[in-house]
């Protein structure tokens, strides 16, 4: 059964995105090969270069967003069981590029003007 990745393109403030992040993290930790506490973080800032613990990845994905081009979760076990579906990527490449640019802009702004979450937000 293919993994539902539609949440990746929904707004970060939606319930669908929040649930998708939790499901992604559960999936990634289910597919760890070693008794390790860290996974690669697919947020826009870390871009699957940095390994982080569960809570850090969760926070990064909620506040920075996930890389939209990470449609096959090869670093998180998807190749192992082949339950991914490439058909969930957008048929319009320009639309995906535009969404990635918007998400990258949010990441750049966050890097320049970092803010901790607060109750007023």
């Amino acid at each position: 059964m293919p993994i539902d990745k539609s949440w990746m393109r929904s707004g970060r403030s939606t319930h669908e995105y929040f649930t998708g992040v939790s499901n992604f993290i559960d999936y990634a930790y289910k597919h760890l090969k070693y008794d390790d506490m860290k996974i690669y973080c697919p947020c826009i800032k870390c871009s699957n270069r940095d390994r982080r613990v569960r809570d850090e990845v969760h926070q990064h994905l909620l506040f920075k967003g996930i890389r939209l081009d990470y449609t096959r979760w090869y670093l998180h076990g998807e190749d192992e069981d082949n339950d991914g579906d490439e058909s969930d990527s957008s048929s319009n490449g320009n639309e995906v590029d535009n969404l990635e640019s918007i998400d990258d802009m949010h990441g750049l702004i966050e890097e320049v003007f970092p803010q901790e979450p607060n109750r007023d937000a």
Side-chain angles (χ1 to χ4, degrees):
M1 184 163 140
I3 303 167
D4 178 20
K5 298 177 186 168
S6 61
W7 63 271
M8 294 172 65
R9 288 189 167 60
S10 60
R12 282 185 270 163
S13 61
T14 65
H15 178 71
E16 180 183 6
Y17 186 85
F18 186 82
T19 302
V21 167
S22 295
N23 291 340
F24 166 79
I25 291 173
D26 289 343
Y27 179 86
Y29 272 89
K30 180 177 128 185
H31 290 88
L32 281 177
K33 292 183 181 179
Y34 307 103
D35 190 21
D36 194 357
M37 298 303 294
K38 293 184 178 183
I39 62 171
Y40 287 99
C41 181
C43 80
I44 291 171
K45 182 178 180 185
C46 294
S47 194
N48 280 322
R49 290 183 305 257
D50 300 328
R51 297 183 66 223
R52 300 189 181 277
V53 295
R54 184 182 200 103
D55 289 341
E56 288 178 309
V57 174
H58 190 261
Q59 184 177 13
H60 279 211
L61 293 177
L62 290 179
F63 294 108
K64 299 176 190 319
I66 192 167
R67 287 181 48 179
L68 293 178
D69 63 344
Y70 190 48
T71 57
R72 188 169 48 89
W73 298 341
Y74 63 93
L75 292 174
H76 299 92
E78 189 167 358
D79 283 340
E80 295 171 7
D81 50 21
N82 295 322
D83 57 1
D85 184 9
E86 292 298 320
S87 66
D88 66 331
S89 60
S90 173
S91 61
N92 182 349
N94 291 334
E95 179 181 335
V96 172
D97 290 341
N98 289 339
L99 289 172
E100 287 174 356
S101 297
I102 291 168
D103 273 351
D104 286 343
M105 183 60 68
H106 290 292
L108 291 172
I109 291 170
E110 177 66 28
E111 285 180 29
V112 175
F113 303 104
Q115 295 180 354
E116 292 298 319
N118 61 58
R119 292 180 185 197
D120 296 332

